[in-house]
Amino acid sequence: MTALDSPVTTASPVPPARAAELTRLIRTTSDEHRTTHSPLTGDPIADIPVSSIADVDDAFAAARTAQEAWARTSLRSRKKALLRLHDLVLEHQEELLDLIQIESGKSRAHAFDEVAHLALTARFYARRLAKQVGTRRRNGALPGLTSITVNQVPKGVVGIISPWNYPLTMAISDGIPAIAAGNAVVHKPDSQSPLIALAGVELMRKAGIPDDVWQVVSGAGSVVGTAIIERADYVCFTGSTATGKLIAQQAAARLISCSLELGGKNPMIVLPSADIEKAAAGAVQACFSSAGQLCVSIERLYVPESRYEEFKAAFVSRVEHLALGAALDWDADIGSLVSQAQLDTVTDHVKDAVAHGATVLVGGKPRPDIGPYFFEPTVLEGVTEIAECFAGETFGPLVSLYPYRTIDEAVALANQGEYGLNASIWGKPREARAIAPRIKAGTININEGFSATFGSVDAPMGGMRQSGLGRRQGAEGILRYTEPQAVGVQRGLPMAGPAFLQARTYAKLLTAGLRILRRTPRA
């Protein structure tokens, strides 16, 4: 694996004045601060103010007041703001890319995925807002006499707790449909990556979204995150399954809804009909995007016995030529892990797998010569069921190869474990489509790792089983932030019948009417 030169060398990769400008967007009155560090170099980035519980209270109070006015804003005005946000994101992408790399450590190409996804999301909801949350007519009980409309009423104030691995798009893209639907947001970005989230909030304000509609607080999840859950009308969380379960319990106790995108141990099946070279190239992107720190990335590869050696050679060869680098440029294929904890997990999983009989085909080592948390993209084979990485999520640049004999066996292997977030199938599309419904996963990508569904913002995205609740993207992604409200208007004849008719007579008339309607195709 190649190590590129020209790493980030400055001790202050974000100018202090710019960091101060962004952190002023955090609602805080406390004197407490914490320092963030870049995973690329270990150098400090900025001092981040910490919010108190009183600050969270103030954030919700301001958000509730702003939400009442924002909900009365026309859909046309909201649409214009979202389209302006789309343009601003693309105009300011260089700074956004820098901040994503500095705070998360990923390569610039993988950072651009976030910029593109945010722009796509803003445009999608802007263009479909009226159709998705506008008042719609439904069929009434008595044709011509009963009219029904359905309003999509905003929940109120949405709490968003966003992760470090996709610190721009998981922060802002999840909130775009919330505010588009007329809600306000109180947001806690991850403690590792607040500046990029704040840069996104800054662009929303420039786009015309009122300041108080999106509140930002900062601090530990156990303190500030819990306070958000205790006050929000809806909670959107992306993170670990363990934390997601706790949030679900807290939300249930308050009878509020939540959406949770949680862990995954995502499989990829290579069918006998697959183009091996294309599948091997696709697997590299599917497994090692953002150094494997992506909920939908692939950690298990299932290959037919008859083509196993062919695929292994093609895949390993490509992984061997991946370039690792810490510079803020487009040269590196793979960036850094985000922290010492992530580095320790990947290192331990590799050591444990080898101790239990696995073989390292490529990679397998930390690379402190590049940066403090870099780890080589690693491919294992012969991983046994007792190895930690067999069923447990690594969330790093580690993937295991397994042979299979039959399609039924491949499907059974893919469905092993407790997760069900994403899966990938490579082969003839007709064959792959037939297999897809048998896979227990919220998204299935055919001849692609995860980008086909992740980038198609009109398609719902989320997990089955232990991988979460609810869906982001698509109509489902905005309707989760609303309550459907039916409004019925009765004209002329009351539903209970006219006063001059006996109940038995009215029932007979209604029975005759129902029989007529049965013969009417559209009734």
Side-chain angles (χ1 to χ4, degrees), residues 170-192:
M170 293 296 100
I172 309 302
S173 290
D174 268 341
I176 282 174
I179 59 173
N183 297 282
V185 166
V186 175
H187 173 210
K188 191 196 89 65
D190 189 86
S191 298
Q192 167 65 32

Side-chain angles (χ1 to χ4, degrees), residues 75-86 126 129 207:
L75 297 182
R76 181 178 177 84
S77 295
R78 296 181 217 168
K79 173 182 177 178
K80 288 181 177 179
L82 293 183
L83 289 176
R84 179 58 181 154
L85 175 61
H86 169 279
L129 185 57

Side-chain angles (χ1 to χ4, degrees), residues 440-464:
K440 296 175 182 177
T443 53
I444 307 289
N445 289 265
I446 295 173
N447 294 331
E448 182 58 73
F450 56 81
S451 299
T453 53
F454 188 79
S456 300
V457 293
D458 197 12
M461 176 190 172
M464 299 180 182

Side-chain angles (χ1 to χ4, degrees), residues 371-389:
Y373 310 132
F374 278 80
F375 196 95
E376 293 178 336
T378 301
V379 181
L380 303 178
E381 71 173 351
V383 175
T384 58
E385 292 188 7
I386 58 175
E388 291 180 7
C389 71

Side-chain angles (χ1 to χ4, degrees), residues 411 415 425 431-441 444 446 464:
V411 170
N415 286 333
I425 307 172
E431 296 175 7
R433 283 182 179 275
I435 294 168
R438 300 171 60 189
I439 305 296
K440 296 175 182 177
I444 307 289
I446 295 173
M464 299 180 182

Side-chain angles (χ1 to χ4, degrees), residues 336-383:
S336 174
L337 293 167
V338 76
S339 65
Q340 185 66 47
Q342 291 300 117
L343 179 66
D344 290 344
T345 295
V346 178
T347 303
D348 291 346
H349 275 200
V350 172
K351 288 181 178 178
D352 175 75
V354 171
H356 290 99
T359 300
V360 177
L361 299 177
V362 61
K365 301 185 298 295
R367 293 296 299 271
D369 56 310
I370 306 173
Y373 310 132
F374 278 80
F375 196 95
E376 293 178 336
T378 301
V379 181
L380 303 178
E381 71 173 351
V383 175

